[in-house]
Amino acid sequence: IDNMVKDILDASHSSSNQLPIYPERLDLQVLFDEVLQQQQKHLQRKNHTIYTDIPNDLPFAYADKSRIQQVLNNLIDNAIKYTNDGGEIQIAILHRTSQKLQISIKDNGLGIPKEDQNHIFEDRFRLQRDYQTEGYGLGLALCQRVIRAHYGRIWVDSEVGCGTTFHFTLPVYRGVTSFELP
């Protein structure tokens, strides 16, 4: 409940796209380990298998740890929620360029209809199937604000019945002392 209230307050506060972030050198492998540990009971309850592809030589990201943790928790929680029992979730990080890391979270769940994919990052947008479940339609909108505040991009690839992959980018840590456009 605390996280949900915080997300609602963050979403309402950030309607002007001025989301405060405090970037620092961030080890994404360690952060993913923490998030997966937090999600462990939820994963076990649905008997999901997690596969990770995170290179050992991955550079640090330059990001706000608590904000990126919110994004990861939301995306992984959605993957768990919309994947049938016994499903698979894949997590991969690519060092796309010398300036960007790409994080991808893929499930083999329900998928998102093509006509809704351009709207899922809008405030209070919910898929028709979600009106029977709890939620306010703020999670993905907040994810987009967080990623944009890091000068990154977030997008989705999905096919109904085949699953969904959320991708987002973060800047690589380069020893900077203030947030700069990569």
Side-chain angles (χ1 to χ4, degrees):
I1 291 174
D2 287 340
N3 286 336
M4 187 173 23
V5 169
K6 186 176 185 338
D7 286 351
I8 292 167
L9 292 173
D10 285 343
S12 66
H13 174 265
S14 61
S15 61
S16 66
N17 283 335
Q18 297 298 324
L19 187 66
I21 62 166
Y22 304 98
E24 61 184 308
R25 187 175 86 157
L26 182 60
D27 185 332
L28 290 174
Q29 174 68 58
V30 170
L31 186 59
F32 264 106
D33 290 344
E34 290 174 12
V35 170
L36 290 174
Q37 185 62 38
Q38 292 169 357
Q39 296 282 356
Q40 196 60 38
K41 287 182 183 175
H42 198 179
L43 286 162
Q44 288 175 341
R45 188 170 36 253
K46 291 197 72 177
N47 198 30
H48 287 324
T49 303
I50 294 280
Y51 296 99
T52 59
D53 182 8
I54 302 174
N56 290 333
D57 63 346
L58 187 73
F60 292 106
Y62 188 56
D64 183 316
K65 180 182 179 181
S66 65
R67 295 288 187 186
I68 299 306
Q69 190 168 19
Q70 282 179 298
V71 170
L72 295 176
N73 268 312
N74 187 67
L75 295 178
I76 292 171
D77 188 61
N78 283 352
I80 294 168
K81 184 186 331 183
Y82 296 112
T83 300
N84 292 328
D85 290 357
E88 296 179 0
I89 297 170
Q90 299 174 25
I91 296 167
I93 304 177
L94 301 171
H95 189 191
R96 298 295 287 175
T97 68
S98 63
Q99 298 179 359
K100 293 283 184 182
L101 297 166
Q102 179 179 313
I103 297 90
S104 300
I105 300 170
K106 178 181 182 177
D107 65 55
N108 63 350
L110 301 174
I112 299 168
K114 199 61 121 175
E115 63 272 12
D116 292 327
Q117 291 178 22
N118 290 331
H119 302 288
I120 59 172
F121 295 106
E122 296 172 4
D123 283 342
R124 292 176 277 294
F125 179 82
R126 299 183 74 199
L127 296 175
Q128 191 66 36
R129 69 178 182 221
D130 294 338
Y131 285 107
Q132 308 303 320
T133 62
E134 68 178 49
Y136 298 97
L138 296 174
L140 291 175
L142 180 62
C143 287
Q144 183 177 55
R145 283 196 182 98
V146 168
I147 298 306
R148 284 183 176 172
H150 286 85
Y151 299 101
R153 179 175 165 247
I154 186 168
W155 68 100
V156 65
D157 293 317
S158 187
E159 186 176 332
V160 173
C162 295
T164 300
T165 306
F166 281 95
H167 309 274
F168 65 92
T169 60
L170 291 173
V172 170
Y173 177 79
R174 297 180 300 182
V176 293
T177 57
S178 64
F179 205 43
E180 303 170 359
L181 276 171

